[in-house]
Amino acid sequence: MKFFYADSQDLVDPNFNFELESRDPSRIRQRDDRYAHELFTTPCYDGLLVSKGIVDGIGVGSRYTLAQRHRLYRLGVHEFFRARHLPVMGDCGAFTYVNEKTPPFSVDEVIRYYVDCDFDMAVSVDHVILAYQPEWDAGGIPEDVQYRQDITLELAAQFLDRHRTSKLRFEPVGVAQGWSPASYARAVEALQRMGYTYIAIGGMVPLKTTAIIACLAAINDVRKPGTRLHLLGVTRCEHINEFARYGVASFDSTSPLRQAFKDDKDNYYSPSNLNYTAIRIPQIEANARLMRSIRAGVVSQERARKLEKECLAAMRAYALRTCSLDGTLNVLLEYEQVYDGKKNHEAAYRATLADRPWEACECDVCRDLGYHVILFRGAERNRRRGFHNLWVFYRRVHEELAKELRLVGSAS
Ligand SMILES: [Zn+2]
């Protein structure tokens, strides 16, 4: 099974100075900054997924500048991402236009994007159904929901037709959208009749694992032996072997990266399968809540500045084993009271500090950064921790898959 990372221009500055928190003045982002796959000496994903919605900035502002977008179209994905060795899949990024009545792209427009960017695999135009309601199968499917499934299938038929008549290089992937196991199975059957052998299952992101498994089981009853599945958006990897048994050949995810700085507690994945909370030492100017308190006169800027510096010094000393755990923790919690009086990360920080997980990780990020990787502070550290998570996640996925292979091997 292949893990595709859904990129949204996530790069880091390889020359960032973590002690001084400064950059090389001659840095040119596009030339000098690095993607996750350029930072590690061993793989951190099997492929990339690049969504048209993200590139074009549908719904939210684009992470791509106009110049970057032009470069992507001109050079193609392999050159642009400096990833000649990785398969790259394209899709529309249906979540970016989930609130629209109809998809904002025509089939021709999307095909032009796939051809210009030279994708290896490309997903047909789809429209997400954001509901899981198996009881609708007994009658009463909302019109809008049925329309979303119908338009997704209609666009998949047009997409495959254009692919055949123009003899395009990429492998076409049809999308199944549904609201229940039976409705997903019907969509997969329809796509197989059209001629698809690689089918993406959409709308799974908010579903519980039991619901995903129920859908895959129903799909499996109609799945032809040669049909491979791709799961669009997966957040966990515990059930990866079950997914594999139901024909899932690939999936994509952004969770390992996002959790590094969006999650309240699971910020750092450890190779021993535990997740740790990163140590928050916010930069005063970058923390809107703290700045408000300072401006309102509730917090003294001097005191905040002093605590911020003391936290950084305490973590440096703790990493060098010249400051005790409790001494370090006290400073961190005193600062936390100042920038966010409602939170208390004492137990979580104690676990992180006691286990020192950054010392045990063998990835290039942790080897380079040391304790800086565990600091929740600024994009350069936070994104690198996300890259580290990708690296660990990739290993977790492939270790899970290898376990099953060993079981199969020992049984036969
Ligand atoms: Zn690491």
Side-chain angles (χ1 to χ4, degrees), residues 268 361-363 365-366 388 391-392:
Y268 180 94
C361 182
E362 287 171 7
C363 88
V365 163
C366 295
H388 147 93
W391 188 89
V392 172

Side-chain angles (χ1 to χ4, degrees), residues 184-351:
Y184 272 110
R186 274 199 305 281
V188 168
E189 266 185 305
L191 292 163
Q192 288 183 140
R193 273 198 302 276
M194 291 173 203
Y196 281 102
T197 54
Y198 200 177
I199 295 175
I201 314 295
M204 294 264 148
V205 180
L207 295 199
K208 294 216 170 78
T209 307
T210 47
I212 297 176
I213 302 274
C215 292
L216 289 176
I219 290 167
N220 205 42
D221 290 340
V222 299
R223 189 172 62 88
K224 291 182 181 169
T227 301
R228 291 128 63 223
L229 304 178
H230 175 91
L231 290 185
L232 284 164
V234 166
T235 50
R236 301 158 169 290
C237 72
E238 292 101 60
H239 297 272
I240 227 90
N241 281 309
E242 203 159 356
F243 294 169
R245 285 195 285 278
Y246 288 129
V248 175
S250 54
F251 69 94
D252 62 85
S253 182
T254 53
S255 300
L257 182 98
R258 295 178 60 82
Q259 279 200 301
F261 44 86
K262 296 272 185 201
D263 205 88
D264 189 44
K265 50 184 205 300
D266 292 339
N267 306 125
Y268 180 94
Y269 294 7
S270 89
S272 58
N273 260 348
L274 291 169
N275 296 338
Y276 289 92
T277 303
I279 306 286
R280 284 138 174 89
I281 308 180
Q283 289 153 312
I284 294 177
E285 289 75 14
N287 191 293
R289 184 201 297 255
L290 182 53
M291 283 308 283
R292 268 199 307 276
S293 306
I294 289 171
R295 262 185 246 115
V298 182
V299 170
S300 116
Q301 181 156 14
E302 233 165 276
R303 177 155 182 257
R305 177 87 58 222
K306 182 170 164 280
L307 282 169
E308 181 192 6
K309 279 200 179 133
E310 281 176 12
C311 285
L312 289 170
M315 278 305 296
R316 190 178 304 124
Y318 184 74
L320 292 168
R321 296 174 194 265
T322 57
C323 182
S324 70
L325 193 157
D326 283 308
T328 308
L329 194 56
N330 287 343
V331 185
L332 294 172
L333 295 176
E334 198 182 337
Y335 187 34
E336 182 173 59
Q337 275 306 303
V338 167
Y339 67 78
D340 187 354
K342 289 186 195 126
K343 290 259 166 68
N344 186 327
H345 281 99
E346 181 174 356
Y349 287 175
R350 189 175 283 283

